[in-house]
Amino acid sequence: MNLIMQKIRLITICLCVFCVACTNAENKNINASEIVKMIQKGKPVQLADKVIFGDLNFAEALKPEFLGGSVMCTKIQHSISFAGCVFMGNVSAKSVQNGVPIQTVFGTNLVFQNCDFRGEVNFDDAEIFGYASFHKSNFRKSASFNNITIWASNCVFSYIIADSDFVMQASRVKGTLNIANAEFKNKLKLQELIVDDNLIFNNSKCSGNADLSLMRIGGRTLFNYAEFLDNCNMLMARFNGDVEFYDTKFSKNPNFEKVIFTTISTNSQDFDLSKSILIIKQ
């Protein structure tokens, strides 16, 4: 009899553990449509350690307004914050309605910290007025941040991993852009990027082609300990502040043609600066 009771108790305990595990798994999962509902109710989005299913498109979360001409805009006024979340679908801030493009304006902070993006990420043409961070996030497919404007004093992409192409072309960062300790396994495109303050690229690694041509950096630029394992093109870039290349590794000769420097510091003789332009500050 005692043996039977022990077995019953053991089965009961196992069933309880199973039920708790199922409940926790259910609480951890959330559909992208639930996040859209939070935005529609005017609530800040603050989620941690969630697995998010379905595509999340911020441009379609609210009714867009006409900006003028043939462009519409979705304005999100409350903060958006994700920490340790996994996005199974695509994440976007861009859409099209009846042939009219829709872009997204984030009125305050936009944070994706330590997140895992399994689908494509597209924030093209977005405008962010608060703090912007993708710190320690992993982009499994293409990540596009073309023509974005970030008004905050700090924009953080440090410690990110991009498995596919990562592009931030013709974008404007009003403060400092931190891309330190990042890993780009495919193409990196920062062509025509404008950073008003500092660009921090220390200890980052580019395995594919890196296009940094026509960049405009207003403050200091740090490439210390960075690695470029394929072509690196800085054609006609302009650096208005100090530039550092300490222990920077180029597997192929970088293109510094018509690059404008004001001050450059390096401990390497491995690359040719003869076609660059040095402007002495008065």
Side-chain angles (χ1 to χ4, degrees), residues 238-264:
R238 179 169 185 137
F239 302 96
N240 293 325
D242 298 340
V243 182
E244 295 183 7
F245 286 101
Y246 287 108
D247 293 312
T248 310
K249 296 180 181 179
F250 294 96
S251 294
K252 299 181 179 180
N253 290 330
N255 182 7
F256 286 116
E257 185 176 355
K258 297 182 181 179
V259 175
I260 297 177
F261 296 103
T262 52
T263 305
I264 181 169

PDB file of all heavy atoms in Angstrom, residues 238-264:
ATOM      1  N   ARG A 238      35.535  61.695 -45.027  1.00  0.00           N
ATOM      2  CA  ARG A 238      36.108  62.882 -44.385  1.00  0.00           C
ATOM      3  C   ARG A 238      36.002  62.732 -42.878  1.00  0.00           C
ATOM      4  O   ARG A 238      34.923  62.504 -42.337  1.00  0.00           O
ATOM      5  CB  ARG A 238      35.406  64.151 -44.840  1.00  0.00           C
ATOM      6  CG  ARG A 238      35.977  65.395 -44.162  1.00  0.00           C
ATOM      7  CD  ARG A 238      35.510  66.680 -44.753  1.00  0.00           C
ATOM      8  NE  ARG A 238      36.197  67.804 -44.127  1.00  0.00           N
ATOM      9  CZ  ARG A 238      36.685  68.840 -44.775  1.00  0.00           C
ATOM     10  NH1 ARG A 238      36.583  68.900 -46.081  1.00  0.00           N
ATOM     11  NH2 ARG A 238      37.288  69.827 -44.130  1.00  0.00           N
ATOM     12  N   PHE A 239      37.153  62.889 -42.212  1.00  0.00           N
ATOM     13  CA  PHE A 239      37.231  62.782 -40.756  1.00  0.00           C
ATOM     14  C   PHE A 239      37.688  64.131 -40.205  1.00  0.00           C
ATOM     15  O   PHE A 239      38.835  64.525 -40.368  1.00  0.00           O
ATOM     16  CB  PHE A 239      38.211  61.677 -40.361  1.00  0.00           C
ATOM     17  CG  PHE A 239      37.856  60.321 -40.910  1.00  0.00           C
ATOM     18  CD1 PHE A 239      38.431  59.861 -42.090  1.00  0.00           C
ATOM     19  CD2 PHE A 239      36.933  59.520 -40.262  1.00  0.00           C
ATOM     20  CE1 PHE A 239      38.098  58.614 -42.608  1.00  0.00           C
ATOM     21  CE2 PHE A 239      36.595  58.266 -40.766  1.00  0.00           C
ATOM     22  CZ  PHE A 239      37.172  57.817 -41.940  1.00  0.00           C
ATOM     23  N   ASN A 240      36.781  64.839 -39.546  1.00  0.00           N
ATOM     24  CA  ASN A 240      37.089  66.179 -39.049  1.00  0.00           C
ATOM     25  C   ASN A 240      37.778  66.173 -37.696  1.00  0.00           C
ATOM     26  O   ASN A 240      38.301  67.211 -37.264  1.00  0.00           O
ATOM     27  CB  ASN A 240      35.811  67.017 -38.977  1.00  0.00           C
ATOM     28  CG  ASN A 240      35.237  67.318 -40.347  1.00  0.00           C
ATOM     29  OD1 ASN A 240      35.980  67.502 -41.306  1.00  0.00           O
ATOM     30  ND2 ASN A 240      33.914  67.344 -40.449  1.00  0.00           N
ATOM     31  N   GLY A 241      37.790  65.032 -37.005  1.00  0.00           N
ATOM     32  CA  GLY A 241      38.469  64.930 -35.716  1.00  0.00           C
ATOM     33  C   GLY A 241      39.622  63.950 -35.788  1.00  0.00           C
ATOM     34  O   GLY A 241      40.009  63.476 -36.870  1.00  0.00           O
ATOM     35  N   ASP A 242      40.185  63.626 -34.647  1.00  0.00           N
ATOM     36  CA  ASP A 242      41.296  62.678 -34.587  1.00  0.00           C
ATOM     37  C   ASP A 242      40.851  61.295 -35.043  1.00  0.00           C
ATOM     38  O   ASP A 242      39.755  60.834 -34.715  1.00  0.00           O
ATOM     39  CB  ASP A 242      41.826  62.582 -33.148  1.00  0.00           C
ATOM     40  CG  ASP A 242      42.368  63.914 -32.644  1.00  0.00           C
ATOM     41  OD1 ASP A 242      42.678  64.772 -33.484  1.00  0.00           O
ATOM     42  OD2 ASP A 242      42.453  64.091 -31.414  1.00  0.00           O
ATOM     43  N   VAL A 243      41.729  60.606 -35.798  1.00  0.00           N
ATOM     44  CA  VAL A 243      41.470  59.237 -36.251  1.00  0.00           C
ATOM     45  C   VAL A 243      42.584  58.339 -35.716  1.00  0.00           C
ATOM     46  O   VAL A 243      43.761  58.659 -35.855  1.00  0.00           O
ATOM     47  CB  VAL A 243      41.415  59.140 -37.790  1.00  0.00           C
ATOM     48  CG1 VAL A 243      41.098  57.718 -38.221  1.00  0.00           C
ATOM     49  CG2 VAL A 243      40.374  60.101 -38.342  1.00  0.00           C
ATOM     50  N   GLU A 244      42.196  57.215 -35.117  1.00  0.00           N
ATOM     51  CA  GLU A 244      43.184  56.291 -34.557  1.00  0.00           C
ATOM     52  C   GLU A 244      43.087  54.928 -35.233  1.00  0.00           C
ATOM     53  O   GLU A 244      41.989  54.361 -35.360  1.00  0.00           O
ATOM     54  CB  GLU A 244      42.983  56.142 -33.047  1.00  0.00           C
ATOM     55  CG  GLU A 244      43.244  57.431 -32.273  1.00  0.00           C
ATOM     56  CD  GLU A 244      43.102  57.234 -30.765  1.00  0.00           C
ATOM     57  OE1 GLU A 244      42.929  56.072 -30.325  1.00  0.00           O
ATOM     58  OE2 GLU A 244      43.150  58.255 -30.045  1.00  0.00           O
ATOM     59  N   PHE A 245      44.262  54.406 -35.642  1.00  0.00           N
ATOM     60  CA  PHE A 245      44.367  53.079 -36.244  1.00  0.00           C
ATOM     61  C   PHE A 245      45.423  52.256 -35.486  1.00  0.00           C
ATOM     62  O   PHE A 245      46.318  51.705 -36.084  1.00  0.00           O
ATOM     63  CB  PHE A 245      44.805  53.177 -37.714  1.00  0.00           C
ATOM     64  CG  PHE A 245      43.742  53.659 -38.664  1.00  0.00           C
ATOM     65  CD1 PHE A 245      43.740  54.970 -39.106  1.00  0.00           C
ATOM     66  CD2 PHE A 245      42.766  52.792 -39.132  1.00  0.00           C
ATOM     67  CE1 PHE A 245      42.788  55.421 -40.010  1.00  0.00           C
ATOM     68  CE2 PHE A 245      41.808  53.232 -40.038  1.00  0.00           C
ATOM     69  CZ  PHE A 245      41.817  54.549 -40.480  1.00  0.00           C
ATOM     70  N   TYR A 246      45.316  52.153 -34.197  1.00  0.00           N
ATOM     71  CA  TYR A 246      46.294  51.385 -33.436  1.00  0.00           C
ATOM     72  C   TYR A 246      45.956  49.894 -33.485  1.00  0.00           C
ATOM     73  O   TYR A 246      44.843  49.485 -33.145  1.00  0.00           O
ATOM     74  CB  TYR A 246      46.346  51.868 -31.983  1.00  0.00           C
ATOM     75  CG  TYR A 246      47.016  53.220 -31.829  1.00  0.00           C
ATOM     76  CD1 TYR A 246      46.274  54.351 -31.520  1.00  0.00           C
ATOM     77  CD2 TYR A 246      48.385  53.353 -32.019  1.00  0.00           C
ATOM     78  CE1 TYR A 246      46.879  55.592 -31.392  1.00  0.00           C
ATOM     79  CE2 TYR A 246      49.010  54.594 -31.893  1.00  0.00           C
ATOM     80  CZ  TYR A 246      48.245  55.702 -31.584  1.00  0.00           C
ATOM     81  OH  TYR A 246      48.859  56.929 -31.466  1.00  0.00           O
ATOM     82  N   ASP A 247      46.943  49.100 -33.944  1.00  0.00           N
ATOM     83  CA  ASP A 247      46.792  47.645 -34.043  1.00  0.00           C
ATOM     84  C   ASP A 247      45.595  47.251 -34.902  1.00  0.00           C
ATOM     85  O   ASP A 247      44.943  46.227 -34.668  1.00  0.00           O
ATOM     86  CB  ASP A 247      46.692  47.004 -32.655  1.00  0.00           C
ATOM     87  CG  ASP A 247      47.990  47.124 -31.871  1.00  0.00           C
ATOM     88  OD1 ASP A 247      49.046  46.812 -32.435  1.00  0.00           O
ATOM     89  OD2 ASP A 247      47.941  47.546 -30.701  1.00  0.00           O
ATOM     90  N   THR A 248      45.291  48.056 -35.895  1.00  0.00           N
ATOM     91  CA  THR A 248      44.236  47.751 -36.853  1.00  0.00           C
ATOM     92  C   THR A 248      44.795  46.818 -37.918  1.00  0.00           C
ATOM     93  O   THR A 248      45.898  47.029 -38.417  1.00  0.00           O
ATOM     94  CB  THR A 248      43.708  49.032 -37.505  1.00  0.00           C
ATOM     95  OG1 THR A 248      43.391  49.980 -36.487  1.00  0.00           O
ATOM     96  CG2 THR A 248      42.478  48.759 -38.338  1.00  0.00           C
ATOM     97  N   LYS A 249      44.026  45.782 -38.267  1.00  0.00           N
ATOM     98  CA  LYS A 249      44.507  44.779 -39.216  1.00  0.00           C
ATOM     99  C   LYS A 249      43.696  44.828 -40.507  1.00  0.00           C
ATOM    100  O   LYS A 249      42.475  44.741 -40.488  1.00  0.00           O
ATOM    101  CB  LYS A 249      44.422  43.379 -38.599  1.00  0.00           C
ATOM    102  CG  LYS A 249      45.310  43.193 -37.387  1.00  0.00           C
ATOM    103  CD  LYS A 249      45.177  41.786 -36.820  1.00  0.00           C
ATOM    104  CE  LYS A 249      46.052  41.600 -35.578  1.00  0.00           C
ATOM    105  NZ  LYS A 249      45.903  40.236 -35.003  1.00  0.00           N
ATOM    106  N   PHE A 250      44.420  44.980 -41.637  1.00  0.00           N
ATOM    107  CA  PHE A 250      43.818  44.937 -42.963  1.00  0.00           C
ATOM    108  C   PHE A 250      44.408  43.741 -43.706  1.00  0.00           C
ATOM    109  O   PHE A 250      45.616  43.705 -43.958  1.00  0.00           O
ATOM    110  CB  PHE A 250      44.092  46.218 -43.736  1.00  0.00           C
ATOM    111  CG  PHE A 250      43.444  47.445 -43.162  1.00  0.00           C
ATOM    112  CD1 PHE A 250      44.151  48.293 -42.317  1.00  0.00           C
ATOM    113  CD2 PHE A 250      42.128  47.758 -43.472  1.00  0.00           C
ATOM    114  CE1 PHE A 250      43.560  49.420 -41.789  1.00  0.00           C
ATOM    115  CE2 PHE A 250      41.524  48.883 -42.943  1.00  0.00           C
ATOM    116  CZ  PHE A 250      42.246  49.721 -42.097  1.00  0.00           C
ATOM    117  N   SER A 251      43.561  42.781 -44.085  1.00  0.00           N
ATOM    118  CA  SER A 251      44.056  41.629 -44.849  1.00  0.00           C
ATOM    119  C   SER A 251      44.373  42.004 -46.280  1.00  0.00           C
ATOM    120  O   SER A 251      45.221  41.387 -46.930  1.00  0.00           O
ATOM    121  CB  SER A 251      43.025  40.496 -44.823  1.00  0.00           C
ATOM    122  OG  SER A 251      42.865  39.990 -43.513  1.00  0.00           O
ATOM    123  N   LYS A 252      43.681  43.038 -46.808  1.00  0.00           N
ATOM    124  CA  LYS A 252      43.949  43.565 -48.139  1.00  0.00           C
ATOM    125  C   LYS A 252      44.204  45.067 -48.007  1.00  0.00           C
ATOM    126  O   LYS A 252      43.742  45.700 -47.056  1.00  0.00           O
ATOM    127  CB  LYS A 252      42.774  43.308 -49.087  1.00  0.00           C
ATOM    128  CG  LYS A 252      42.452  41.833 -49.299  1.00  0.00           C
ATOM    129  CD  LYS A 252      41.296  41.653 -50.271  1.00  0.00           C
ATOM    130  CE  LYS A 252      40.994  40.185 -50.502  1.00  0.00           C
ATOM    131  NZ  LYS A 252      39.858  39.991 -51.455  1.00  0.00           N
ATOM    132  N   ASN A 253      44.926  45.624 -48.980  1.00  0.00           N
ATOM    133  CA  ASN A 253      45.228  47.051 -48.923  1.00  0.00           C
ATOM    134  C   ASN A 253      43.935  47.870 -48.948  1.00  0.00           C
ATOM    135  O   ASN A 253      43.158  47.772 -49.905  1.00  0.00           O
ATOM    136  CB  ASN A 253      46.115  47.461 -50.103  1.00  0.00           C
ATOM    137  CG  ASN A 253      47.520  46.914 -49.986  1.00  0.00           C
ATOM    138  OD1 ASN A 253      48.021  46.729 -48.878  1.00  0.00           O
ATOM    139  ND2 ASN A 253      48.158  46.654 -51.120  1.00  0.00           N
ATOM    140  N   PRO A 254      43.682  48.678 -47.936  1.00  0.00           N
ATOM    141  CA  PRO A 254      42.456  49.494 -47.921  1.00  0.00           C
ATOM    142  C   PRO A 254      42.560  50.640 -48.919  1.00  0.00           C
ATOM    143  O   PRO A 254      43.654  51.080 -49.280  1.00  0.00           O
ATOM    144  CB  PRO A 254      42.410  50.020 -46.485  1.00  0.00           C
ATOM    145  CG  PRO A 254      43.841  50.031 -46.046  1.00  0.00           C
ATOM    146  CD  PRO A 254      44.501  48.865 -46.726  1.00  0.00           C
ATOM    147  N   ASN A 255      41.425  51.120 -49.360  1.00  0.00           N
ATOM    148  CA  ASN A 255      41.373  52.232 -50.302  1.00  0.00           C
ATOM    149  C   ASN A 255      41.176  53.536 -49.524  1.00  0.00           C
ATOM    150  O   ASN A 255      40.098  53.816 -49.018  1.00  0.00           O
ATOM    151  CB  ASN A 255      40.221  52.037 -51.292  1.00  0.00           C
ATOM    152  CG  ASN A 255      40.162  53.152 -52.324  1.00  0.00           C
ATOM    153  OD1 ASN A 255      41.038  54.005 -52.383  1.00  0.00           O
ATOM    154  ND2 ASN A 255      39.119  53.150 -53.138  1.00  0.00           N
ATOM    155  N   PHE A 256      42.256  54.311 -49.418  1.00  0.00           N
ATOM    156  CA  PHE A 256      42.211  55.606 -48.743  1.00  0.00           C
ATOM    157  C   PHE A 256      42.269  56.757 -49.749  1.00  0.00           C
ATOM    158  O   PHE A 256      42.620  57.868 -49.383  1.00  0.00           O
ATOM    159  CB  PHE A 256      43.375  55.734 -47.755  1.00  0.00           C
ATOM    160  CG  PHE A 256      43.207  54.925 -46.498  1.00  0.00           C
ATOM    161  CD1 PHE A 256      44.075  53.899 -46.212  1.00  0.00           C
ATOM    162  CD2 PHE A 256      42.197  55.212 -45.607  1.00  0.00           C
ATOM    163  CE1 PHE A 256      43.932  53.150 -45.056  1.00  0.00           C
ATOM    164  CE2 PHE A 256      42.044  54.479 -44.449  1.00  0.00           C
ATOM    165  CZ  PHE A 256      42.907  53.441 -44.172  1.00  0.00           C
ATOM    166  N   GLU A 257      41.904  56.488 -50.990  1.00  0.00           N
ATOM    167  CA  GLU A 257      41.997  57.525 -52.012  1.00  0.00           C
ATOM    168  C   GLU A 257      41.072  58.699 -51.698  1.00  0.00           C
ATOM    169  O   GLU A 257      39.881  58.535 -51.443  1.00  0.00           O
ATOM    170  CB  GLU A 257      41.658  56.946 -53.392  1.00  0.00           C
ATOM    171  CG  GLU A 257      41.854  57.943 -54.526  1.00  0.00           C
ATOM    172  CD  GLU A 257      41.608  57.329 -55.893  1.00  0.00           C
ATOM    173  OE1 GLU A 257      41.370  56.099 -55.962  1.00  0.00           O
ATOM    174  OE2 GLU A 257      41.645  58.072 -56.883  1.00  0.00           O
ATOM    175  N   LYS A 258      41.644  59.887 -51.698  1.00  0.00           N
ATOM    176  CA  LYS A 258      40.931  61.154 -51.474  1.00  0.00           C
ATOM    177  C   LYS A 258      40.233  61.210 -50.106  1.00  0.00           C
ATOM    178  O   LYS A 258      39.290  61.985 -49.921  1.00  0.00           O
ATOM    179  CB  LYS A 258      39.920  61.408 -52.595  1.00  0.00           C
ATOM    180  CG  LYS A 258      40.560  61.578 -53.958  1.00  0.00           C
ATOM    181  CD  LYS A 258      39.523  61.872 -55.033  1.00  0.00           C
ATOM    182  CE  LYS A 258      40.181  62.020 -56.402  1.00  0.00           C
ATOM    183  NZ  LYS A 258      39.187  62.284 -57.468  1.00  0.00           N
ATOM    184  N   VAL A 259      40.703  60.395 -49.176  1.00  0.00           N
ATOM    185  CA  VAL A 259      40.195  60.491 -47.807  1.00  0.00           C
ATOM    186  C   VAL A 259      40.800  61.730 -47.151  1.00  0.00           C
ATOM    187  O   VAL A 259      42.001  61.988 -47.274  1.00  0.00           O
ATOM    188  CB  VAL A 259      40.550  59.233 -46.985  1.00  0.00           C
ATOM    189  CG1 VAL A 259      40.109  59.405 -45.536  1.00  0.00           C
ATOM    190  CG2 VAL A 259      39.898  58.009 -47.596  1.00  0.00           C
ATOM    191  N   ILE A 260      39.984  62.499 -46.459  1.00  0.00           N
ATOM    192  CA  ILE A 260      40.455  63.720 -45.807  1.00  0.00           C
ATOM    193  C   ILE A 260      40.610  63.472 -44.314  1.00  0.00           C
ATOM    194  O   ILE A 260      39.648  63.108 -43.625  1.00  0.00           O
ATOM    195  CB  ILE A 260      39.485  64.884 -46.063  1.00  0.00           C
ATOM    196  CG1 ILE A 260      39.434  65.202 -47.560  1.00  0.00           C
ATOM    197  CG2 ILE A 260      39.913  66.118 -45.270  1.00  0.00           C
ATOM    198  CD1 ILE A 260      38.452  66.303 -47.924  1.00  0.00           C
ATOM    199  N   PHE A 261      41.838  63.652 -43.835  1.00  0.00           N
ATOM    200  CA  PHE A 261      42.143  63.549 -42.408  1.00  0.00           C
ATOM    201  C   PHE A 261      42.581  64.919 -41.891  1.00  0.00           C
ATOM    202  O   PHE A 261      43.173  65.714 -42.634  1.00  0.00           O
ATOM    203  CB  PHE A 261      43.299  62.563 -42.160  1.00  0.00           C
ATOM    204  CG  PHE A 261      43.008  61.135 -42.541  1.00  0.00           C
ATOM    205  CD1 PHE A 261      43.517  60.604 -43.721  1.00  0.00           C
ATOM    206  CD2 PHE A 261      42.250  60.315 -41.721  1.00  0.00           C
ATOM    207  CE1 PHE A 261      43.273  59.284 -44.080  1.00  0.00           C
ATOM    208  CE2 PHE A 261      41.996  59.001 -42.067  1.00  0.00           C
ATOM    209  CZ  PHE A 261      42.509  58.481 -43.244  1.00  0.00           C
ATOM    210  N   THR A 262      42.320  65.164 -40.617  1.00  0.00           N
ATOM    211  CA  THR A 262      42.918  66.336 -39.956  1.00  0.00           C
ATOM    212  C   THR A 262      44.044  65.885 -39.030  1.00  0.00           C
ATOM    213  O   THR A 262      45.085  66.517 -38.967  1.00  0.00           O
ATOM    214  CB  THR A 262      41.866  67.128 -39.163  1.00  0.00           C
ATOM    215  OG1 THR A 262      41.168  66.241 -38.287  1.00  0.00           O
ATOM    216  CG2 THR A 262      40.861  67.779 -40.104  1.00  0.00           C
ATOM    217  N   THR A 263      43.820  64.774 -38.329  1.00  0.00           N
ATOM    218  CA  THR A 263      44.859  64.170 -37.495  1.00  0.00           C
ATOM    219  C   THR A 263      44.700  62.663 -37.575  1.00  0.00           C
ATOM    220  O   THR A 263      43.593  62.145 -37.429  1.00  0.00           O
ATOM    221  CB  THR A 263      44.731  64.598 -36.017  1.00  0.00           C
ATOM    222  OG1 THR A 263      44.739  66.020 -35.946  1.00  0.00           O
ATOM    223  CG2 THR A 263      45.894  64.058 -35.196  1.00  0.00           C
ATOM    224  N   ILE A 264      45.803  61.944 -37.803  1.00  0.00           N
ATOM    225  CA  ILE A 264      45.747  60.491 -37.863  1.00  0.00           C
ATOM    226  C   ILE A 264      46.865  59.912 -37.006  1.00  0.00           C
ATOM    227  O   ILE A 264      48.004  60.384 -37.052  1.00  0.00           O
ATOM    228  CB  ILE A 264      45.845  59.980 -39.319  1.00  0.00           C
ATOM    229  CG1 ILE A 264      45.749  58.452 -39.357  1.00  0.00           C
ATOM    230  CG2 ILE A 264      47.089  60.478 -40.019  1.00  0.00           C
ATOM    231  CD1 ILE A 264      45.582  57.893 -40.744  1.00  0.00           C
TER     232      ILE A 264
END
